[in-house]
Amino acid sequence: MCTGKCARCVGLSLITLSLVCIVANALLLVPNGETSWTNTNHLSLQVWLMGGFIGGGLMVLCPGIAAVRAGGKGCCGAGCCGNRCRMLRSVFSSAFGVLGAIYCLSVSGAGLRNGPRCLMNGQWGYHFEDTQGDYLLNRTLWDWCEAPPRVVPWNVTLFSLLVATSCLEVVLCGIQLVNAIIGVFCGDCRKKKDTPH
């Protein structure tokens, strides 16, 4: 596959995944879809660190857009000497995207391991923190959180989605990093008539 076509395909995938991360992080701010719990005392630290919004979202959206642009007709022309300027930009953007995806993966993994901040026996806290993630396999423990309602399955689902999405982002940013390096040195193999404007 040509470096330009590969860049466009990877870029579109990264844009989609970054939007998924942004939406997932926004949903984490409203446990069970209720805005009444949006308070620093009611949400876990990992929600406020905005791993999905900043890391997996904005920091991956930039390389996604750069990759799509790198797959278009560049300032250096088309053909085998094609789009090297934009490919070079995509190299740096992809490295930035890898860092963002790793940040999202780290924050989301910690959010899964520690569990949500919830009300149990009249006290707010991270009541599953000492289980080292074992609470994930024991769903009977999930009902122990009195408030926010259904916060454990809400957090587990969304943080799991962020973990899976950020893993894909790391892989795709890595692929685009290699693809862009090849594009810088070898150019784009597409003919002029095949190059999108």
Side-chain angles (χ1 to χ4, degrees), residues 28 31 41-47 110-120 123-129 131 135-136 141-142 144-157 159:
L28 280 168
N41 296 328
H42 299 152
L43 298 177
S44 66
L45 173 64
Q46 286 74 31
V47 173
L112 275 177
R113 190 188 68 236
N114 295 339
R117 181 178 173 85
C118 66
L119 180 67
M120 189 185 294
Q123 291 187 339
W124 285 92
Y126 297 95
H127 301 289
F128 301 114
E129 192 172 17
T131 68
Y135 78 98
L136 294 167
L141 297 176
W142 295 9
W144 291 6
C145 277
E146 301 160 24
R150 296 184 44 78
V151 68
V152 180
W154 187 266
N155 273 30
V156 168
T157 301
F159 275 130

Side-chain angles (χ1 to χ4, degrees), residues 27-74:
L27 289 173
L28 280 168
L29 291 168
V30 286
N32 206 32
E34 299 172 12
T35 57
S36 57
W37 301 105
T38 307
N39 183 316
T40 52
N41 296 328
H42 299 152
L43 298 177
S44 66
L45 173 64
Q46 286 74 31
V47 173
W48 290 113
L49 288 175
M50 301 283 183
F53 185 77
I54 297 170
L58 297 179
M59 288 179 74
V60 172
L61 185 61
C62 294
I65 293 169
V68 170
R69 289 177 52 88
K73 185 177 180 182

Side-chain angles (χ1 to χ4, degrees), residues 96-109:
F96 184 67
V98 168
L99 294 177
I102 289 172
Y103 173 68
C104 180
L105 180 62
S106 303
V107 170
S108 303

Side-chain angles (χ1 to χ4, degrees), residues 17 34 108 167 189:
L17 291 172
E34 299 172 12
S108 303
C167 285
C189 63

